[in-house]
Amino acid sequence: MKLRIQNGRLIDPSQDIDAVIDLFIDNQKIVALGDAPEGFEEADVMDAAGQWILPGLVDLAVSLREPGLTQKGSIATEGRAAVSGGVTTLVCPPNTRPIVDTPAVAALIQDKADDAGMANVFPLGALTQGLEGAQLSNMVALTEAGCIALSNHRHPMVSTKVLARALEYAATHDLLVVFHPDEPSLSEGGCAHEGLMSTIHGLAGIPEEAETIALMRDLLLVEKTGVRAHFARLSCAKSVEMMADAKASGLNVTADVALHNLLLNDQILNRFDGHYHVLPPLRSEEDRLTLIEGIKSGVITAICSDHQPHEKMAKIAPFAATEPGMANVEILLPLAMQLMDEGDVDLTTLLTCLTSGPAACFGLEAGSLSVGSFADFIVFDSTARWVWTYEGRKTKGHNSPYFGDELVGRVMQTFISGQRVYQAV
């Protein structure tokens, strides 16, 4: 199908483009920007006057919950939620049931994602069998089955020796390893940032050192083994400093941050609302501001939703007894725009961290509107005011503190390979 998108404000940080120009699509791919290519015969024309044309968002952390946890979500429901939020490419963690530690499970997820016809889905494979941290998984087979990288998620390794062997093996085959830096002996049983707020409310705290001690160990092992590494969900100011030093020393490392850690700090615990129970926890205002500085300086190059849908009962309990996580993928962009509205981050930096930045972390061909790319893009109304309601949600998850909030900016249409997969009503 041939398609011309005209009169829209096309913004693509990967090409340093921000202009009202036309976009031409043919046979699933972008064939020109600006002037029509020679011989282009239009089949369809879409007028996007007053709206933004953006690369499809790339989200490095969307829990689909399938297989095994379909009471929380499924590949179909969370895929639908993703594209309604403008996410055209997503990475899902390996902590399904069964764990993604065999090629069969990796293939199952991708087959179901293809059947759903929503976002492009790339699973992470388990670094160790069953995520138990003892026996290495068949990493090569998992990557051959479509896993984009390997991770032990937030599950601990039985020893540093096992971790070192896993990294040596991954380095030998040039595989990417995703770390969630956490020292379990310090974080076990915790549900909130260790500080004044956790003390006031009698919540078990998770000290910053739970993250930074593990991060230091992991960086030393990355340096020793030479493995390609990505650090997920950084939450502490000290972690940003350590990542900056690691990059300056030449280590091949990247990092992301969850959007809620950029928007919120632990003062929100005064509400004693389990919807704000996340891991890693919401930390101090100093930590939040330093994470934003990490975005601005390029130390952190990806912002993710860390979408974790839950059934209703998972959040109906005292704060510490609730399951951690928020389900915000379908409002990722308008929520992220709040950082720009408050003057924390400029538009180019923000969009880079939602498109080409995360794509580059994992070597994905996504997040760009360059000629020859698959036509994954969104039409965004930056001025639309709307209320995201519980009843109108696409996710199966019940757990977001933003239900009922008025948001500014809305994804109106989402296209994948030139085909419209979502349109707001």
Side-chain angles (χ1 to χ4, degrees), residues 84-122:
S84 73
V87 174
T88 56
T89 298
L90 64 86
V91 176
C92 57
N95 61 336
T96 50
R97 297 177 184 173
I99 302 292
V100 187
D101 61 359
T102 67
V105 180
L108 172 67
I109 291 172
Q110 292 169 96
D111 288 346
K112 287 212 166 193
D114 288 343
D115 290 343
M118 296 295 167
N120 301 308
V121 172
F122 293 90

Side-chain angles (χ1 to χ4, degrees), residues 196-229:
L196 180 60
M197 297 306 296
S198 64
T199 301
I200 289 174
H201 295 291
L203 299 172
I206 301 175
E208 293 180 0
E209 290 76 17
E211 179 172 301
T212 55
I213 287 174
L215 179 58
M216 179 57 74
R217 176 202 62 186
D218 295 344
L219 285 171
L220 288 171
L221 290 175
V222 168
E223 182 179 30
K224 179 177 184 292
T225 61
V227 72
R228 292 191 295 124

Side-chain angles (χ1 to χ4, degrees), residues 92-407:
C92 57
N95 61 336
T96 50
R97 297 177 184 173
I99 302 292
V100 187
D101 61 359
T102 67
V105 180
L108 172 67
I109 291 172
Q110 292 169 96
D111 288 346
K112 287 212 166 193
D114 288 343
D115 290 343
M118 296 295 167
N120 301 308
V121 172
F122 293 90
L124 293 178
L127 189 65
T128 61
Q129 295 177 27
L131 295 176
E132 294 176 350
Q135 302 294 323
L136 305 191
S137 66
N138 190 337
M139 301 181 205
V140 172
L142 287 169
T143 55
E144 289 176 348
C147 292
I148 194 70
L150 290 309
S151 175
N152 227 47
H153 201 53
R154 291 185 63 85
H155 295 252
M157 306 292 282
V158 296
S159 71
T160 302
K161 184 176 183 179
V162 174
L163 176 59
R165 286 180 174 172
L167 300 185
E168 288 168 354
Y169 184 84
T172 299
H173 295 276
D174 194 29
L175 306 177
L176 176 66
V177 174
V178 178
F179 294 83
H180 291 256
D182 177 61
E183 172 48 52
S185 64
L186 294 174
S187 64
E188 186 176 9
C191 63
H193 171 62
E194 185 176 87
L196 180 60
M197 297 306 296
S198 64
T199 301
I200 289 174
H201 295 291
L203 299 172
I206 301 175
E208 293 180 0
E209 290 76 17
E211 179 172 301
T212 55
I213 287 174
L215 179 58
M216 179 57 74
R217 176 202 62 186
D218 295 344
L219 285 171
L220 288 171
L221 290 175
V222 168
E223 182 179 30
K224 179 177 184 292
T225 61
V227 72
R228 292 191 295 124
H230 177 79
F231 288 87
R233 313 312 101 77
L234 297 186
S235 69
C236 304
K238 184 66 176 178
S239 298
V240 177
E241 179 184 328
M242 293 164 69
M243 283 297 298
D245 291 343
K247 286 193 168 191
S249 69
L251 284 190
N252 185 14
V253 293
T254 55
D256 70 58
V257 60
L259 178 58
H260 47 250
N261 283 98
L262 297 174
L263 294 171
L264 303 168
N265 61 36
D266 65 342
Q267 294 294 313
I268 203 77
L269 299 186
N270 277 326
R271 299 184 184 183
F272 213 70
D273 182 345
H275 287 103
Y276 296 102
H277 180 189
V278 293
L279 291 177
L282 302 173
R283 295 200 181 271
S284 69
E285 179 66 1
E286 179 187 357
D287 290 312
R288 187 186 78 86
L289 294 175
T290 305
L291 289 169
I292 291 172
E293 288 303 314
I295 290 287
K296 294 164 70 174
S297 66
V299 172
I300 299 172
T301 55
I303 299 172
C304 62
S305 67
D306 198 14
H307 178 76
Q308 298 185 44
H310 286 298
E311 70 279 27
K312 190 173 184 178
M313 293 305 295
K315 290 292 187 180
I316 300 179
F319 187 95
T322 58
E323 294 188 49
M326 296 184 185
N328 294 328
V329 70
E330 60 195 274
I331 54 170
L332 175 60
L333 187 50
L335 275 185
M337 294 283 288
Q338 293 179 7
L339 292 170
M340 190 184 73
D341 296 340
E342 294 167 3
D344 292 327
V345 180
D346 63 67
L347 178 60
T348 299
T349 301
L350 185 68
L351 292 179
T352 298
C353 288
L354 293 167
T355 57
S356 57
C361 289
F362 280 32
L364 296 167
E365 294 182 3
S368 172
L369 298 177
S370 58
V371 173
S373 301
F374 280 102
D376 299 347
F377 65 97
I378 62 177
V379 181
F380 184 69
D381 185 339
S382 63
T383 61
R385 292 183 176 272
W386 62 295
V387 176
W388 186 46
T389 64
Y390 174 84
E391 294 77 14
R393 75 195 193 283
K394 306 297 185 298
T395 176
K396 198 171 183 178
H398 296 250
N399 52 307
S400 174
Y402 296 103
F403 288 134
D405 283 9
E406 184 183 65
L407 302 170

